[in-house]
Amino acid sequence: MQTDHGLLTGDEEHAALLACCNPGTALCTIVGIDGSFSRRLGAQLAIGPDGALSGSLADGCLEQQLARDARDCAGPVVKRYGRGSPQIDFRLPCGGGLDILIDPAPDSMACRDAAQRLQDRQMAVLPLAANPFMQQRRYIPALQLRVFGEGPELAALQRLARAAGIAVETFDPDSLSLGQMPALDAADAWTAVVLLFHDHEWETPLLMHSLDSRAFYIGAQGGESARISRTAQLMAAGAREDDVARIRGPIGTIAACRTPTALALSILSEIAGKYEALQPAQ
């Protein structure tokens, strides 16, 4: 088994929260969007006492303006940027408008509590300073992968996940027992499970173990004939039809991948889309 852990956050959604665990860091949160915009409601940017930025709200121009405005704030305030803003010399490229809550001194203890819950793989809520738009920011734990397999496909998926900052556990046949369920805790609701075997006799106990979990994504490599055989073996092992339907196969967004790297990219893009759909509406 190999495990690559990201920071607390393997994703950008938590970067600002993590930075605000340190006193003296300002927090900017999008609490209103007028028109289209490239970030979601609740997107955050942290501005450290040394001017360091964590998180992302848009392009550098908006972030620089927020850094200046945060220095000038005596307390929490909602400011309008872009369309409808009194700052006529500042516009957003998309033509929309944003309401951003600037809190020059967020509660660092509340931030640490939320960060700890995420570290413990639990949903977290951060109360926001009083404003007419949004009372709290909700977070889900970072995406992580649990991958069983062998060969170059396993190595490629591990390599690309690591490059994307995603925590990944990998298990090859040397760390497994054929025909036996793995001695692992059940995957949580923010974990994707992927099987990358050419020798499909490894799959049934691993999939039965995965189906008895809250994993938001379960996928197994192989074409239509492998899927039919897999389904028959799982049903014979006692799996229910609706459980078997949770398994993606073929996996990925590309219909036919001819290299391990293409397959890994295809799988990661599909998983990222499924994980994005889990993000809470604020």
Side-chain angles (χ1 to χ4, degrees), residues 115-130:
Q116 185 60 57
R117 287 186 62 84
L118 293 170
Q119 183 73 44
D120 294 339
R121 306 295 294 172
Q122 301 176 55
M123 293 186 69
V125 174
L126 178 69
L128 298 177

Side-chain angles (χ1 to χ4, degrees), residues 17 27 44 107 110-111 114 124-128 135-137 139:
L17 172 69
L27 180 62
Q44 294 178 310
D107 185 339
C111 291
V125 174
L126 178 69
L128 298 177
Q135 305 311 306
Q136 61 185 20
R137 170 62 155 92
Y139 308 86

Side-chain angles (χ1 to χ4, degrees), residues 16-29 44-49 70 74-76 101-112 126-129 139:
L17 172 69
L18 185 60
C20 287
C21 293
N22 301 310
T25 302
L27 180 62
C28 303
T29 306
Q44 294 178 310
L45 175 76
I47 305 165
L101 170 64
I102 303 175
D103 187 347
D107 185 339
S108 58
M109 182 61 72
C111 291
R112 285 194 290 270
L126 178 69
L128 298 177
Y139 308 86

Side-chain angles (χ1 to χ4, degrees), residues 4-21 44 46 54-56 111-112 114-122 124 137 139-145 161-168 190 275 279:
D4 294 318
H5 293 292
L7 298 174
L8 154 76
T9 68
D11 67 13
E12 301 150 309
E13 287 291 322
H14 307 151
L17 172 69
L18 185 60
C20 287
C21 293
Q44 294 178 310
S54 300
S56 174
C111 291
R112 285 194 290 270
Q116 185 60 57
R117 287 186 62 84
L118 293 170
Q119 183 73 44
D120 294 339
R121 306 295 294 172
Q122 301 176 55
R137 170 62 155 92
Y139 308 86
I140 61 174
L143 166 64
Q144 68 179 20
L145 303 184
R162 184 189 298 124
I166 299 170
V168 55
W190 304 281
Y275 176 76
Q279 295 288 345

Side-chain angles (χ1 to χ4, degrees), residues 147 150-158 196 198 221 259-261 263-264:
V147 187
E150 57 190 338
E153 290 84 1
L154 178 66
L157 185 55
Q158 182 183 41
L196 296 174
H198 295 286
Q221 181 181 19
T259 67
T261 298
L263 178 62

Side-chain angles (χ1 to χ4, degrees), residues 248-263:
R248 288 283 300 157
I251 48 177
T253 58
I254 302 173
C257 297
R258 303 305 180 193
T259 67
T261 298
L263 178 62

Side-chain angles (χ1 to χ4, degrees), residues 71-265:
R71 287 195 298 267
D72 296 337
C73 288
V77 63
V78 175
K79 294 181 70 73
R80 179 79 168 193
Y81 296 88
R83 185 166 64 201
S85 171
Q87 300 184 70
I88 60 175
D89 59 341
F90 182 84
R91 290 290 180 266
L92 297 174
C94 62
L98 296 177
D99 295 299
I100 298 181
L101 170 64
I102 303 175
D103 187 347
D107 185 339
S108 58
M109 182 61 72
C111 291
R112 285 194 290 270
D113 288 345
Q116 185 60 57
R117 287 186 62 84
L118 293 170
Q119 183 73 44
D120 294 339
R121 306 295 294 172
Q122 301 176 55
M123 293 186 69
V125 174
L126 178 69
L128 298 177
N131 71 88
F133 297 96
M134 206 165 92
Q135 305 311 306
Q136 61 185 20
R137 170 62 155 92
R138 294 187 291 163
Y139 308 86
I140 61 174
L143 166 64
Q144 68 179 20
L145 303 184
R146 177 177 286 180
V147 187
F148 302 93
E150 57 190 338
E153 290 84 1
L154 178 66
L157 185 55
Q158 182 183 41
R159 181 178 71 252
L160 291 178
R162 184 189 298 124
I166 299 170
V168 55
E169 294 178 293
T170 58
F171 304 86
D172 61 20
D174 290 339
S175 61
L176 301 168
S177 297
L178 185 62
Q180 301 296 315
M181 286 195 179
L184 297 171
D185 292 337
D188 63 34
W190 304 281
T191 295
V193 179
V194 180
L195 274 66
L196 296 174
F197 289 104
H198 295 286
D199 185 352
H200 298 292
E201 67 178 353
W202 287 93
E203 292 183 345
T204 299
L206 300 176
L207 288 171
M208 292 294 285
H209 182 271
S210 301
L211 290 172
D212 193 27
S213 78
R214 299 173 62 205
F216 77 92
Y217 177 97
I218 302 172
Q221 181 181 19
E224 182 64 13
S225 60
R227 186 191 66 78
I228 292 171
S229 175
R230 179 184 303 127
T231 297
Q233 291 179 38
L234 288 168
M235 297 291 285
R240 298 180 304 174
E241 187 173 352
D242 55 343
D243 285 334
V244 176
R246 293 173 57 195
I247 302 170
R248 288 283 300 157
I251 48 177
T253 58
I254 302 173
C257 297
R258 303 305 180 193
T259 67
T261 298
L263 178 62
L265 288 168

